[in-house]
Amino acid sequence: MKVKWVHFPLHPDTPLKGRSLEDLFRGRGYDIPKMQAQMRARMEAEGLPYGNRSMTYNSRLAQELGTWADTQPGGEAIHDALFRAYFVEARDISQPAVLLEIAERVGLSTDGAREVLEKRTFKDAVDADWKLSREYGVTGVPTFVIGENGIVGAQPYEALEQLVAQARR
């Protein structure tokens, strides 16, 4: 069974300069502070850090960098570092300088990372991930898909266990 993770699937049309959470959810009736408190409680219950983010940033370059990192020895470490930069430190991961710093911090080649970002060598692979996520109906982060089944959004651990059990049948 193949498990596919689409890197930080924020909408690809998120403006490069970022967007405030208030702008993003305006007119939808969401209580952003309440939503953040709920997410913080879920994260803390699992022992995971969660920051005080007020902006969303286009993550396209981070997706491409993460896809490249998966081809490098030890590259899987970049995913945790990108998560922490975005969700804990509220950093703008649309900025190449930020991404290069993260790549260097996890021991990846800065020159290799720079080349990937400048030449966009993993653009097609990320486009394929986006196509796949649309086919699966991904509407939130995180989304876990195994075979033809999936769960969307922050769910209890038991929901993920059920997904895995269903896939084994």
Side-chain angles (χ1 to χ4, degrees):
M1 124 184 47
K2 182 173 181 176
V3 177
K4 180 69 175 170
W5 178 51
V6 178
H7 310 280
F8 294 99
L10 291 177
H11 195 276
D13 295 331
T14 300
L16 290 179
K17 66 182 183 332
R19 183 183 309 172
S20 73
L21 294 178
E22 287 78 18
D23 263 357
L24 181 66
F25 293 111
R26 181 167 286 127
R28 298 184 188 182
Y30 291 121
D31 181 343
I32 296 171
K34 181 180 177 183
M35 291 168 56
Q36 287 178 317
Q38 290 171 340
M39 181 58 81
R40 183 169 290 102
R42 287 182 180 129
M43 299 295 277
E44 287 174 358
E46 296 299 324
L48 298 170
Y50 190 75
N52 219 7
R53 192 167 58 95
S54 62
M55 297 286 290
T56 63
Y57 299 105
N58 187 301
S59 63
R60 178 59 194 233
L61 288 178
Q63 291 174 300
E64 293 178 21
L65 186 67
T67 303
W68 165 76
D70 286 341
T71 70
Q72 305 300 303
E76 66 279 354
I78 202 162
H79 300 293
D80 183 56
L82 288 168
F83 167 86
R84 287 180 180 284
Y86 189 79
F87 288 104
V88 179
E89 301 162 7
R91 297 194 61 198
D92 183 351
I93 61 170
S94 71
Q95 299 301 310
V98 171
L99 295 173
L100 291 173
E101 176 193 318
I102 293 167
E104 182 177 33
R105 187 176 353 141
V106 299
L108 294 170
S109 162
T110 306
D111 290 337
R114 182 178 292 107
E115 182 177 339
V116 165
L117 296 174
E118 289 174 356
K119 293 183 178 180
R120 308 289 303 274
T121 50
F122 283 79
K123 178 187 181 308
D124 291 343
V126 172
D127 286 344
D129 279 348
W130 272 97
K131 181 178 182 288
L132 183 62
S133 67
R134 283 190 297 276
E135 289 171 8
Y136 281 134
V138 172
T139 59
V141 177
T143 295
F144 300 93
V145 177
I146 302 176
E148 299 295 319
N149 302 301
I151 55 173
V152 177
Q155 300 286 328
Y157 182 76
E158 293 77 20
L160 187 56
E161 284 181 321
Q162 289 175 344
L163 176 65
V164 171
Q166 187 176 15
R168 287 183 175 156
R169 285 187 221 128

